[in-house]
Amino acid sequence: MTVIKSNHENHAADDSVGVVETRQVELFTADDPLHLECGTEFAPVTLAYETYGTLSEARDNAILICHALSGDAHAAGVHSPEDPKPGWWDRMIGPGKAFDTEKYFVICSNVLGGCKGSTGPSTNSPRMDKPHALGFPMVTIHDMVVAQKRLVEHLGIDRLLSVTGGSMGGMQALDWTVSFPDSVVSAIPIATTYRLSAQGIAFNEVGRQAIFADPHWNNGDYYGAEPPDVGLALARMIGHITYLSDKSMHEKFGRDLRYRDKYAYDFQQEFQVESYLHYQGEKFIKRFDANTYLYLTKAMDYFDLVDGYHSLTESLKRATAKFLMIAFTSDWLFPAAQNKQIANALRTNGSDVTYVEIRSDYGHDAFLLEFEELTKLISAFLGFLYEEKAVQ
Amino acid sequence: MNKKRDIELTAARRRNDYRLILDIVSPGSRVLDLGCGAGQLLTLLEADKNIVGYGVELDGDKIIECVESGLSVFQGDLDEGLRDFDDGSFDYVILNQTLPVTHKPPYVVDEMLRVGKRGIISFANFAYWRIRWRLLTGGRMPVGESIPYEWYDTPNIHHLTIQDFFLFCRRFRVTILDRHYFSALEGGHVKHSQRLPNWFAAYGMFVITRGD
């Protein structure tokens, strides 16, 4: 869920998609609103998106990347030649990479409810002529997918070669396979779940309460005034703990002190891990909207593939895609066992599914960091589909 | 198509154990291959018998080869059992040249026969006369075609003989439905009945089910 820190990669490198731009398109209008799961009809809806690579003439090489809680449409490349910070999954998307832009047309869009160019609580309500704030309707993972489907159609694509994402992005990928089975050839849900555990919901709720408790939050009506930075930073700090593992935290920070070589017996930040969390919080408030954090965490809490069905197996009977499910051994927020349950249900149904557990100490964050293992698997998986497509 | 894979499959078609399994498995079956390796057997079964196949494999690199071939594989350790697999959910569960590698053979076979209506087990016979001869004359752990590892570098921790397997089946109430013997993985002869198999078969293959 974190965005990879700007790194020392050379952006002019052969394996970068280079300079890209985020585009926006209005997909739902007052005459043709988006029907949300909560019952509301909502318009207008704009999605921000980026694309990399070229759509084939047969329009059969498109891959949709779904981002996690704090991600955005900017998955690869840079926004200008001087931009030091590539997109959040830049190591996975580009010429010769897992999502090889020489072969595939890769799409990534900011989710409905997001704050990076798509319609969300921070965008203006045309009716009110000010940001929606808490007037924004409650959106679900399925609603995000319905909006993405419209975007994919807008790009002239009936059927995606694959849909993928980690964490909340994996939830979207799963929803795609059951909501639009005829529109996805394959899916690669990574480090995800078919419904959050009580523990997952609990952490989300603590994050939300941190925002609510910030006086600047002002019932969500803070646009144009000072935003609830303290609350949002605190929510991010809590989130960050859940993205790491005990082991990775121990190895990264241990009990090391920063700025001091012995205890000062006061409440200043002195342990490394404290300053790391504060740094993550500070960084996050510069790029994220507190209300979006509230809406997206709630969308994750509501997500439940079994809702309306007797069992996960029955729910997944709708899916016809070929699946590659990937989990990480040290992920305790979206544990391997939950990913495996999905794979087991698919197998019971006779669906085409592979389940892989990557050994990693990075915790949930592994889906952004274990790019070598992910690349091997995903290249192999997509390579087979690509060859098969060529044979047909 | 992938040339390397095609060449490997052509080679795999020469293997006696694969050919026997291709004969045994009826078309359209649901097949689970335990310790499926790079997935050659599953690929052949899918191509020739139109099966719905799944593999279980521990080794990540081998899983990547399976994924390259478009197979469905689950990463897992056979010794942890097949607890995520429903009773009777497969027509055949295959354990091909893998039994001596397992830590708990009775448990693995029991799980096989819980999940599968039938099991297919094949293994190298440690009492094959050539192996006996090597042990008798050389006085060292035999290394040869059917057991190609030095004692200190072998994945096999439970060597067995065909006679041992018969006793094992009696002890753990496993019924043998069909048996095949062959003298080498490739080439040699394949027999459906063999006089003194514990002496003269380098490999055995058995179709098994749960006894009463």
Side-chain angles (χ1 to χ4, degrees):
Chain A
M1 286 195 202
T2 44
V3 167
I4 292 177
K5 262 190 274 178
S6 101
N7 50 40
H8 26 272
E9 276 172 70
N10 173 9
H11 307 311
D14 295 342
D15 63 353
S16 168
V17 297
V19 177
V20 294
E21 61 167 337
T22 307
R23 275 165 286 178
Q24 285 177 307
V25 58
E26 189 177 86
L27 296 164
F28 297 89
T29 57
D31 303 336
D32 174 25
L34 173 57
H35 298 268
L36 298 171
E37 268 195 299
C38 65
T40 309
E41 291 185 351
F42 186 65
V45 172
T46 293
L47 286 193
Y49 69 99
E50 293 189 2
T51 67
Y52 323 103
T54 314
L55 186 60
S56 64
E57 223 161 277
R59 298 170 182 272
D60 60 359
N61 67 335
I63 296 173
L64 179 70
I65 312 270
C66 305
H67 69 72
L69 173 61
S70 65
D72 53 31
H74 183 39
V78 287
H79 280 158
S80 71
E82 300 78 37
D83 186 352
K85 198 178 143 136
W88 60 269
W89 227 11
D90 189 73
R91 286 166 160 182
M92 297 291 291
I93 304 163
K97 294 182 185 173
F99 300 100
D100 187 347
T101 47
E102 314 249 271
K103 291 180 177 172
Y104 312 114
F105 179 65
V106 180
I107 309 159
C108 183
S109 74
N110 186 211
V111 292
L112 174 69
C115 54
K116 293 300 193 117
S118 291
T119 302
S122 61
T123 52
N124 253 4
S125 155
R127 196 165 45 85
M128 315 275 288
D129 201 27
K130 61 173 191 165
H132 291 284
L134 291 203
F136 191 74
M138 197 57 81
V139 293
T140 64
I141 299 290
H142 177 69
D143 295 329
M144 296 172 192
V145 167
V146 171
Q148 285 166 349
K149 172 78 165 97
R150 186 65 72 90
L151 170 67
V152 168
E153 283 167 5
H154 165 80
L155 295 172
I157 298 152
D158 292 332
R159 215 159 172 237
L160 292 163
L161 183 65
S162 200
V163 55
T164 184
S167 196
M168 187 182 90
M171 292 175 167
Q172 294 161 60
L174 288 170
D175 191 88
W176 261 94
T177 66
V178 292
S179 299
F180 303 106
D182 298 335
S183 304
V184 282
V185 177
S186 76
I188 313 173
I190 305 168
T192 191
T193 182
Y194 64 97
R195 59 178 176 202
L196 272 190
S197 63
Q199 193 186 37
I201 296 170
F203 277 111
N204 279 344
E205 173 62 2
V206 177
R208 286 189 294 265
Q209 288 300 330
I211 293 168
F212 296 152
D214 187 326
H216 292 301
W217 179 61
N218 191 27
N219 276 312
D221 195 8
Y222 54 81
Y223 300 105
E226 194 174 328
D229 283 345
V230 173
L232 181 60
L234 182 51
R236 181 61 167 174
M237 287 164 72
I238 296 159
H240 245 281
I241 298 169
T242 68
Y243 309 152
L244 305 178
S245 73
D246 179 38
K247 190 166 180 201
S248 68
M249 271 188 146
H250 175 74
E251 280 170 6
K252 204 164 176 180
F253 313 110
R255 294 180 49 88
D256 294 353
L257 302 181
R258 194 175 164 87
Y259 308 125
R260 295 169 176 174
D261 42 21
K262 55 185 184 189
Y263 297 161
Y265 299 102
D266 63 18
F267 290 111
Q268 298 296 311
Q269 290 172 40
E270 56 184 351
F271 289 99
Q272 280 281 7
V273 66
E274 292 174 310
S275 70
Y276 170 81
L277 288 176
H278 283 278
Y279 168 74
Q280 292 298 338
E282 289 302 312
K283 214 170 57 154
F284 192 58
I285 55 175
K286 291 185 191 132
R287 65 177 183 88
F288 215 79
D289 175 56
N291 284 337
T292 280
Y293 197 90
L294 299 176
Y295 277 90
L296 297 193
T297 53
K298 199 72 191 175
M300 290 170 78
D301 292 355
Y302 281 132
F303 181 67
D304 181 359
L305 268 191
V306 184
D307 191 27
Y309 294 85
H310 290 105
S311 65
L312 180 61
T313 312
E314 189 195 57
S315 170
L316 286 171
K317 281 208 170 104
R318 295 172 285 168
T320 53
K322 182 178 174 70
F323 283 83
L324 173 61
M325 303 273 329
I326 305 174
F328 299 94
T329 50
S330 58
D331 186 346
W332 54 276
L333 189 60
F334 291 78
Q338 284 178 22
N339 291 269
K340 199 174 184 184
Q341 265 181 292
I342 301 166
N344 288 335
L346 288 164
R347 187 192 60 233
T348 300
N349 288 339
S351 299
D352 190 344
V353 53
T354 285
Y355 170 75
V356 183
E357 231 168 80
I358 296 177
R359 266 180 194 286
S360 171
D361 292 334
Y362 287 125
H364 185 53
D365 254 356
F367 86 89
L368 294 166
L369 300 171
E370 293 286 2
F371 59 92
E372 277 177 29
E373 286 302 309
L374 284 171
T375 297
K376 280 194 249 171
L377 277 165
I378 292 171
S379 303
F381 183 75
L382 294 176
F384 173 80
L385 291 170
Y386 193 76
E387 273 179 24
E388 209 183 39
K389 187 164 72 68
V391 169
Q392 278 166 0
Chain B
M1 287 298 284
N2 188 323
K3 275 221 177 90
K4 178 176 152 263
R5 201 161 66 219
D6 282 353
I7 294 166
E8 283 170 1
L9 281 183
T10 310
R13 282 192 184 282
R14 289 197 291 267
R15 278 182 59 157
N16 288 323
D17 50 349
Y18 290 180
R19 282 155 69 171
L20 280 169
I21 293 168
L22 282 166
D23 277 346
I24 294 167
V25 170
S26 35
S29 305
R30 275 178 68 101
V31 178
L32 180 63
D33 186 3
L34 303 179
C36 66
Q40 287 158 349
L41 176 59
L42 280 172
T43 306
L44 292 178
L45 283 165
E46 285 186 359
D48 292 11
K49 292 291 181 132
N50 193 30
I51 58 144
V52 178
Y54 296 86
V56 177
E57 178 56 52
L58 189 57
D59 184 313
D61 290 334
K62 287 183 178 155
I63 287 175
I64 287 165
E65 289 191 62
C66 290
V67 171
E68 250 168 22
S69 302
L71 299 170
S72 296
V73 196
F74 279 66
Q75 187 160 30
D77 185 347
L78 299 182
D79 284 307
E80 284 168 21
L82 301 170
R83 69 176 82 93
D84 298 324
F85 292 72
D86 297 333
D87 293 2
S89 54
F90 284 89
D91 297 308
Y92 296 96
V93 179
I94 298 170
L95 193 64
N96 188 35
Q97 317 307 333
T98 304
L99 185 60
V101 181
T102 61
H103 286 254
K104 296 176 272 189
Y107 178 56
V108 171
V109 173
D110 190 54
E111 281 287 86
M112 248 181 113
L113 295 180
R114 176 182 66 77
V115 168
K117 296 180 183 116
R118 289 179 177 194
I120 301 175
I121 289 191
S122 179
F123 56 87
N125 174 24
F126 206 83
Y128 182 47
W129 72 267
R130 284 179 191 278
I131 293 175
R132 294 188 195 212
W133 179 251
R134 244 177 242 143
L135 187 57
L136 184 69
T137 57
R140 294 180 46 209
M141 284 300 279
V143 179
E145 193 244 20
S146 62
I147 298 166
Y149 304 100
E150 290 286 354
W151 66 271
Y152 49 81
D153 188 31
T154 176
N156 299 321
I157 53 173
H158 286 119
H159 280 302
L160 74 160
T161 71
I162 287 174
Q163 191 61 34
D164 285 328
F165 185 70
F166 291 153
L167 293 171
F168 174 92
C169 288
R170 213 173 301 158
R171 164 85 174 74
F172 294 100
R173 296 181 195 283
V174 172
T175 302
I176 297 176
L177 299 170
D178 200 2
R179 54 198 78 192
H180 306 272
Y181 304 106
F182 46 106
S183 60
L185 278 185
E186 275 182 38
H189 50 78
V190 177
K191 292 184 175 177
H192 301 287
S193 69
Q194 165 79 57
R195 201 169 56 87
L196 298 176
N198 204 39
W199 280 92
F200 296 113
Y203 295 88
M205 178 174 294
F206 304 91
V207 181
I208 57 174
T209 187
R210 255 190 186 155
D212 307 318

